[in-house]
Amino acid sequence: MGKSFRWIMIFAVLSFVFLFPAEEVYATGFSYPLDTDGELVIVIDPGHGGNNLGADYNGFLEKEMNMVVANAMKEELEKYEDVTVYMTHTSTDTDMSIQARADFAASVNADFVFCLHFNMSPGNILFGSEVWVSAFGDENRQGYRFGCVQMETMADMGLYIRGVKTRFNDRGRDYYGILRYCEEYDIPAALIEHCHIDHETDVGFCDSEEDLVRFGVADATSVAKFFGLSSQTLGVDYSDYELIELEPGALYVQADTTDPDICTIEEAYTDLERSIIGITLTAYDYDSPMLYYSYSIDGGITYTPYLAWPNVDVMARYSPDTFTFEIEVPEGVSPVVLVKAVNQYDRYTESNLLDGLPVFVKPVAELLPTEELSDTVSDGDDSAIQASPSAGFHAPEKPEEENKERNFFGFLMVCFFIACILFMALFISNIIIAGRKRQRRKRHKK
């Protein structure tokens, strides 16, 4: 009877496993299988340390910023039940190799590693928040699922979203060491780039200790949502938090190593009164959404800073293919327009060159009747105003009444000039006649 009961129990357990696969369990609870003892172990890795300063710009020092965020994240996570939190190191003066960080995570049976960073870009042109994950195995799937939660959290804070991404080194492995070494240990990991310390759009999110603590709390909240944690201290319960559903075994995010496929521009309208030209940009990439655009009005010699692509939903991998934007043209400039369209992986394609546009001369434009200018802009017909790119606009014809006034005034001036001449002639003639009379009197006296 005892042996039969044991076989019945084994059969029941196996039936449960096959009838309720792991993916179904993840969808309603933890998103990653915990250790056999059921303990959830989180490892936080503050990026850089020791002589490795990280990003160093305008008073910001990344290794110090990362440590503030990591401490706040650990403190917040420990307010949740059933979770153990470790940090790879607790001092900004610690020199610790990336391999050693992954080794530490493996030594404590980590279920997930979160590596914290802040960003910079060449030329200080990029802005926004992003998450890097492994490109391989189940680490790719789990990293992407967490990245989706983290990006939602960063968006709620007001940051521009750059998405969840992967990157390869020259050997075809994960570019970032912490992801590469953790993947070798079968530990999911996420490298969080909170924002860019070198761009005015992002600086306001990280320029005080309070801001950095806010990032740490936000990171902890993302982890709590991902693992479905609860906290009586905080009064929150994320056990029913819905994660994105992904099929096991598939790779959900892979690096885009190609430039955008299409980038074209055309003139939409010209507003001479405001010195504005409207440009319609059409650009798309078959592999990733667009994130930024930049334009030049001198044929590509200089470009504007990167501007956010409108109405982007990076997590849905969507960006509109076409939109119209305005360029304010300086006075005396005949713009030669060129546009860069930049995708999620910061690769760009330049548009066609748009030239042959008029010189924008504001004083002349101000002479145009408002109704005439409005008709010209709305109809898209520039035949009412002839322009030469080298010489500027021809002055518009004056109204007929103004021409009549000018002709009458000119007639008066001519008459006045003739009268002056006649007066001078009479004056000179009188002088000559008077002189001759004096000479005759002198001769009669002799």
Side-chain angles (χ1 to χ4, degrees), residues 155-174:
D156 289 342
M157 291 180 67
L159 285 151
Y160 190 61
I161 300 306
R162 288 169 50 80
V164 184
K165 300 188 282 187
T166 62
R167 183 179 179 183
F168 297 104
N169 62 17
D170 55 6
R171 297 182 301 278
R173 301 299 298 164
D174 286 315

Side-chain angles (χ1 to χ4, degrees), residues 34-35 39-43 83-86 105 108-112:
L34 306 180
D35 298 333
E39 181 186 19
L40 172 61
V41 177
I42 299 299
V43 171
V83 58
T84 301
V85 186
Y86 295 98
V108 297
N109 295 319
D111 292 295
F112 217 113

Side-chain angles (χ1 to χ4, degrees), residues 7 48 61 73 205 233 281 362:
W7 280 110
H48 308 290
L61 193 59
M73 181 181 180
F205 291 95
T233 302
L281 168 62
K362 194 170 185 179

Side-chain angles (χ1 to χ4, degrees), residues 111-122:
D111 292 295
F112 217 113
V113 174
F114 299 96
C115 187
L116 311 183
H117 284 267
F118 286 84
N119 221 337
M120 280 185 62
S121 65

Side-chain angles (χ1 to χ4, degrees), residues 313-389:
D313 187 346
V314 175
M315 302 315 299
R317 302 182 185 181
Y318 167 79
S319 58
D321 294 340
T322 301
F323 66 94
T324 299
F325 65 95
E326 292 185 340
I327 298 175
E328 185 175 353
V329 183
E331 183 179 356
V333 172
S334 174
V336 180
V337 183
L338 196 64
V339 174
K340 286 181 182 179
V342 187
N343 70 12
Q344 182 185 8
Y345 284 83
D346 309 325
R347 302 185 67 92
Y348 69 85
T349 295
E350 288 186 331
S351 70
N352 54 296
L353 201 66
L354 188 61
D355 57 6
L357 298 169
V359 175
F360 282 70
V361 183
K362 194 170 185 179
V364 176
E366 289 175 349
L367 292 175
L368 294 172
T370 303
E371 293 182 0
E372 180 182 346
L373 178 61
S374 176
D375 293 342
T376 302
V377 174
S378 61
D379 294 339
D381 179 14
D382 59 359
S383 60
I385 305 173
Q386 300 296 324
S388 168

Side-chain angles (χ1 to χ4, degrees), residues 50-67:
N51 294 324
N52 186 349
L53 306 180
D56 183 0
Y57 181 82
N58 199 27
F60 292 102
L61 193 59
E62 187 188 357
K63 71 171 186 176
E64 296 177 352
M65 300 171 70
N66 294 337
M67 187 60 69

Side-chain angles (χ1 to χ4, degrees), residues 149-421:
V149 179
Q150 178 70 9
M151 289 292 89
E152 180 181 342
T153 302
M154 296 295 98
D156 289 342
M157 291 180 67
L159 285 151
Y160 190 61
I161 300 306
R162 288 169 50 80
V164 184
K165 300 188 282 187
T166 62
R167 183 179 179 183
F168 297 104
N169 62 17
D170 55 6
R171 297 182 301 278
R173 301 299 298 164
D174 286 315
Y175 177 85
Y176 294 105
I178 192 66
L179 304 178
R180 185 169 64 252
Y181 298 136
C182 284
E183 190 268 334
E184 291 174 359
Y185 279 121
D186 294 326
I187 303 173
L191 191 155
I192 302 171
E193 295 279 8
H194 292 94
C195 66
H196 289 71
I197 65 173
D198 60 338
H199 197 285
E200 61 181 5
T201 300
D202 285 359
V203 166
F205 291 95
C206 62
D207 60 354
S208 70
E209 184 172 352
E210 290 76 11
D211 291 329
L212 300 179
V213 169
R214 192 175 298 114
F215 272 124
V217 172
D219 294 345
T221 302
S222 294
V223 174
K225 290 178 178 178
F226 180 68
F227 284 104
L229 302 181
S230 301
S231 171
Q232 292 184 358
T233 302
L234 299 174
V236 295
D237 182 356
Y238 295 117
S239 58
D240 293 330
Y241 186 84
E242 294 186 6
L243 299 174
I244 182 173
E245 293 290 345
L246 301 178
E247 293 295 329
L251 299 178
Y252 281 88
V253 55
Q254 292 293 291
D256 182 2
T257 59
T258 61
D259 299 334
D261 298 283
I262 298 293
C263 181
T264 62
I265 58 173
E266 60 181 2
E267 180 184 356
Y269 55 84
T270 299
D271 188 334
L272 298 174
E273 185 178 52
R274 296 189 299 139
S275 296
I276 294 291
I277 182 171
I279 299 295
T280 297
L281 168 62
T282 299
Y284 53 87
D285 191 319
Y286 294 115
D287 302 310
S288 58
M290 310 304 296
L291 276 193
Y292 311 100
Y293 71 99
S294 176
Y295 63 83
S296 169
I297 61 172
D298 55 17
I301 299 174
T302 59
Y303 274 90
T304 64
Y306 279 11
L307 304 168
W309 200 275
N311 302 318
V312 174
D313 187 346
V314 175
M315 302 315 299
R317 302 182 185 181
Y318 167 79
S319 58
D321 294 340
T322 301
F323 66 94
T324 299
F325 65 95
E326 292 185 340
I327 298 175
E328 185 175 353
V329 183
E331 183 179 356
V333 172
S334 174
V336 180
V337 183
L338 196 64
V339 174
K340 286 181 182 179
V342 187
N343 70 12
Q344 182 185 8
Y345 284 83
D346 309 325
R347 302 185 67 92
Y348 69 85
T349 295
E350 288 186 331
S351 70
N352 54 296
L353 201 66
L354 188 61
D355 57 6
L357 298 169
V359 175
F360 282 70
V361 183
K362 194 170 185 179
V364 176
E366 289 175 349
L367 292 175
L368 294 172
T370 303
E371 293 182 0
E372 180 182 346
L373 178 61
S374 176
D375 293 342
T376 302
V377 174
S378 61
D379 294 339
D381 179 14
D382 59 359
S383 60
I385 305 173
Q386 300 296 324
S388 168
S390 59
F393 292 117
H394 293 296
E397 294 183 2
K398 301 295 181 180
E400 185 177 350
E401 292 182 1
E402 185 177 342
N403 290 334
K404 289 181 179 180
E405 291 178 0
R406 177 181 291 180
N407 293 337
F408 179 72
F409 180 75
F411 173 74
L412 292 178
M413 290 298 294
V414 170
C415 292
F416 177 75
F417 181 71
I418 293 172
C420 290
I421 293 176

